[in-house]
Amino acid sequence: MEISMRISFGALALTLGLTLAACNGNGPTGGGSRDQIRVVGSSTVYPFTTTVAETFARKNAGFKPAIVESTGTGAGMKLFCAGVGSQHPDIEDASRRIKKSEMETCQKNGVKDIVEIQIGIDGIIMAESKAGPAMSLTPEQVYKALAATPYGKPQTAKTWKDVDPSLPAVKIQVYGPPPTSGTRDAFAELILDKGCSADAATKALKKSDEDQYKAICTKIREDGAYVESGENDNLIVQKLGSNPDAVGVFGYSFLEENAATLRGIPLNGVTPTYDTIAGYTYPGARPLFIYVKAAHLKVIPGLPQFVAEYASAWGKDGYLARRGLIAAPADVQAKNAAIAKDLTLFDPAKAE
């Protein structure tokens, strides 16, 4: 049964006001006070949050502009969950749901109450230059090309043709996110894992040895075929421009912004588009989130208003759609608009 939890702002503001005051250079943690919003996290969500921050600053001259950093979801969660106080960020951008281990870290460090808001949908897409070989792939082919030990065997594929005779004899070179990225996590879950589980014997391993299954199915090769490109998806786009035979892995919004030079690679015959991602027919479709530290809502100036601004912008006709954000279905939008308005607390049991 879902329990709706609301913030008791009176007691919370007093308690957290004292907590943040303790961080004003005189307390044991130091760091000084802060009068502007600080956001960390996903490189995929970063352009949406910076757009909201810019709009919020124009509308609210009385508040200082927000600080938004692209750290990757995993690294952002470490910063977000490190504690409560002015030296810790207020919002975490996330291209996946918070993990159970991260939620446990949050609670251990006193970040006991957070607000989870789904801002929309994104697709983890594979793309190539329009001057490239125009490939169409399956999750199984992607897995065989990128796994460190495909189906538990040594990785020997050098070209895409080695993976499948129907594919071009082009060197496998894929630019993608590092392990700290939520995009990397979702790529492993939505694409690599699906390709791996196509093998019956490997799929059966999940029941007998889940750790071994995870290692076989989600560990990416480290021999240069997959090139970690940091938390800057624009850098991957640039590399595809200079290397037409390469493939990139990033969020759909970056494909949309560079549609003149790049094309999305179909997976299972489904091309990544706004409609295929919105309808979850594209295999790489995933929800996007922001997490808000409830303890900071009555202490950091403008934080509740910033959350409200986000909720006003994520519709199909909202200004975030022009940046490539795919609107969630109407019922999901309505549910999360209510969460943003009421600042309903996230149930820790729902962490994944």
Side-chain angles (χ1 to χ4, degrees), residues 39-224:
V39 187
V40 296
S42 167
S43 61
T44 300
V45 181
Y46 174 78
F48 307 132
T49 299
T50 54
T51 300
V52 171
E54 290 163 2
T55 305
F56 180 75
R58 286 196 301 270
K59 291 182 177 179
N60 299 275
F63 296 123
K64 288 189 176 181
I67 300 169
V68 185
E69 303 171 66
S70 175
T71 64
T73 298
M77 284 292 185
K78 289 181 180 179
L79 294 169
F80 181 80
C81 290
V84 169
S86 60
Q87 71 273 41
H88 302 294
D90 312 305
I91 296 176
E92 155 75 357
D93 291 339
S95 53
R96 56 162 172 77
R97 174 162 269 181
I98 189 171
K99 297 178 180 179
K100 287 182 180 179
S101 59
E102 292 166 338
M103 193 70 230
E104 290 169 358
T105 299
C106 268
Q107 294 184 321
K108 178 183 176 182
N109 292 329
V111 187
K112 297 187 180 298
D113 295 326
I114 61 176
V115 180
E116 179 195 79
I117 302 169
Q118 183 181 337
I119 63 164
I121 304 172
D122 183 40
I124 300 171
I125 62 100
M126 302 185 74
E128 62 182 344
S129 166
K130 285 191 172 179
M135 289 194 292
S136 179
L137 300 169
T138 66
E140 186 175 1
Q141 290 167 339
V142 175
Y143 169 74
K144 288 179 179 179
L146 296 182
T149 53
Y151 306 125
K153 301 174 183 177
Q155 175 59 268
T156 60
K158 303 296 183 183
T159 70
W160 288 100
K161 193 174 183 68
D162 295 336
V163 172
D164 190 303
S166 67
L167 297 175
V170 173
K171 179 183 176 181
I172 298 169
Q173 188 164 23
V174 178
Y175 296 107
T180 54
S181 170
T183 297
R184 171 77 165 260
D185 291 338
F187 179 65
E189 177 186 349
L190 297 174
I191 297 175
L192 297 181
D193 186 88
K194 295 295 188 297
C196 180
S197 62
D199 177 72
T202 308
K203 185 176 182 179
L205 183 64
K206 189 172 185 178
K207 294 182 178 179
S208 60
D209 191 338
E210 189 169 355
D211 289 341
Q212 181 67 5
Y213 172 85
K214 185 176 180 181
I216 290 174
C217 290
T218 63
K219 186 176 181 181
I220 293 179
R221 61 195 297 180
E222 298 177 346
D223 57 358

Side-chain angles (χ1 to χ4, degrees), residues 24 29 103 139 144 167 192 227 262 272 294 305 313-314 319 342:
N24 193 18
T29 57
M103 193 70 230
K144 288 179 179 179
L167 297 175
L192 297 181
V227 182
L262 302 181
Q305 295 90 333
W314 65 38
Y319 61 79
D342 298 332

Side-chain angles (χ1 to χ4, degrees), residues 1-2 8-9 22 45 138 172 176 225 263 277-278 284 296 299 310:
M1 180 178 66
E2 184 174 334
S8 177
F9 283 117
V45 181
T138 66
I172 298 169
R263 64 171 154 245
I277 294 169
H296 290 195
V299 183
Y310 226 126

